[in-house]
Amino acid sequence: MKELIDIVAAYDIAAKQGKKTALATVVQVEGSAYRRAGARMLITEDGQLTGAISGGCLEGDALRKARLVILQQEPMLVTYDTTDDDDAKLGVGLGCNGIIHILIEPISGEPNNPIRLLKTVVNGRRNAVLVTLFSVEDRKAPQPGTCLSLTENELLLNRLEGLAHQAQIIDDAKRVMADQRSETKFYNNGITYTAFVEFVKPLISLVVVGAGNDAIPLTKLAAVLGWDTTVIDGRPNYALPERFPSAQKIIVAKPGQALSHISINEHTAFVLMTHNYNYELALLKELLPLQLSYVGVLGPKKKLARLLAEIEDSGQQITEEQLKNIYGPVGLDIGSEGAEEIALSIVAEIKAVLSKRKGNSLKYKPASIHAPHLATIG
């Protein structure tokens, strides 16, 4: 999602400056590659790049082809085949052993151009679906490209007018939204078209409860990842914008009032690090019934055990489901020392939990790093 946000912002700047642009999207990968389907890059006519479609090896060639796309105002499907051991003949030296299909689209001034569709996803801040339609079989056939966006509140924008499979593509987008899993679909009507029906998660929302010095590195690291960060504390002399320039929102509030200032969804993570036991006790009582995906508590196990025991002693029942989503001591075991390394371990744990991963070394993963997209014939 951060890449989409950066691309939309870069496009707005380029448009104000009168620069022509093109959008490059990795639409299909066979074998292994540095980026998977859904990776995007905005290219301006003067060579500015935002986003990435590879580890840096394809960008130069994509820039040359994008300038041609901008000039001709016609989409182009480009394929890089690195399955040959001697991939140096491509002049890129990928070393990935895969086939990468990239669609490059010119961005025109039409109302529902690809960037407009990306904007609906970015601005919705909820689960969304993007559909990119292309033909590998016939590269001279029309390449519809980024043609549909669907948001969780059912705002639908599309550029499917005149296409034979319009109704089916919309139905497939709605199913992917419900299943929350990207799919690759195939449609045949004389020409075989492939649709990458991409499920897009919103940014993680991080709520840091505590405005001490050790919270500063956490907000900075979250900003690098593009997370939407809020800092909450009851001390007005600590919760200051100049101390937390990376945070989108800073709230000074008592525990009972804090939650009324923020919007919470399944992608919201809380980290309690106030070093104020009573503040965290009061706030944890408020958080438990919300069934949050992640609540981290800084400090030793005995502190968390004491917090939970006091809550139960007060008459509030704590279920197994609620306990499952409380992480204390907070963070992955990476041998952290100091606020910066602790912040790294916390961010890594949050990402792993919300991605439903265990946080183990990829070296020991028996399967592919990325799960393959479900492929079906429409």
Side-chain angles (χ1 to χ4, degrees), residues 336-350:
S336 301
E337 295 288 346
E340 290 77 13
E341 292 181 358
I342 291 171
L344 176 62
S345 75
I346 293 172
V347 165
E349 183 177 58
I350 292 171

Side-chain angles (χ1 to χ4, degrees), residues 174-254:
K174 291 180 178 178
R175 189 187 66 257
V176 165
M177 175 71 81
D179 295 343
Q180 298 192 2
R181 180 183 178 184
S182 299
E183 289 186 11
T184 297
K185 291 281 296 182
F186 300 98
Y187 310 97
N188 193 298
N189 187 34
I191 299 172
T192 299
Y193 276 100
T194 304
F196 177 50
V197 189
E198 178 187 8
F199 178 69
V200 183
K201 295 179 182 180
L203 284 176
I204 292 174
S205 294
L206 174 63
V207 182
V208 180
V209 183
N213 291 344
D214 56 350
I216 295 174
L218 180 57
T219 61
K220 288 181 177 179
L221 192 51
V224 172
L225 299 173
W227 294 2
D228 185 32
T229 305
T230 298
V231 175
I232 299 176
D233 201 299
R235 300 167 292 181
N237 57 325
Y238 277 72
L240 297 170
E242 53 266 32
R243 281 172 52 79
F244 295 94
S246 302
Q248 281 70 44
K249 185 184 291 186
I250 298 175
I251 299 168
V252 179
K254 295 179 180 179

Side-chain angles (χ1 to χ4, degrees), residues 125-126 152 202-209 228 230 232 249 251 255 257-272 283-284 286-295 354:
R125 294 181 175 270
R126 290 280 187 177
E152 203 170 48
L203 284 176
I204 292 174
S205 294
L206 174 63
V207 182
V208 180
V209 183
D228 185 32
T230 298
I232 299 176
K249 185 184 291 186
I251 299 168
Q257 303 166 339
L259 300 185
S260 64
H261 295 276
I262 57 177
S263 176
I264 297 173
N265 58 39
E266 61 186 302
H267 304 286
T268 303
F270 277 77
V271 177
L272 277 56
L283 187 58
L284 190 55
E286 302 283 333
L287 294 176
L288 283 171
L290 301 181
Q291 293 294 118
L292 296 164
S293 300
Y294 183 97
V295 178
L354 296 188

Side-chain angles (χ1 to χ4, degrees), residues 6 78 114 130 138 165 176 189 200 211 256 308 325 327 329 335 360 367:
D6 292 343
V78 183
L130 284 168
D138 187 354
H165 300 284
V176 165
N189 187 34
V200 183
L308 296 174
N325 297 327
Y327 293 82
N360 297 330

Side-chain angles (χ1 to χ4, degrees), residues 104-124:
I104 305 175
E105 308 170 74
I107 307 301
S108 67
E110 63 177 319
N112 284 347
N113 68 38
I115 296 297
R116 171 75 190 285
L117 301 186
L118 298 190
K119 281 185 177 181
T120 63
V121 172
V122 168
N123 295 337

Side-chain angles (χ1 to χ4, degrees), residues 366-377:
S368 172
I369 294 174
H370 300 297
H373 300 301
L374 181 66
T376 57
I377 299 176

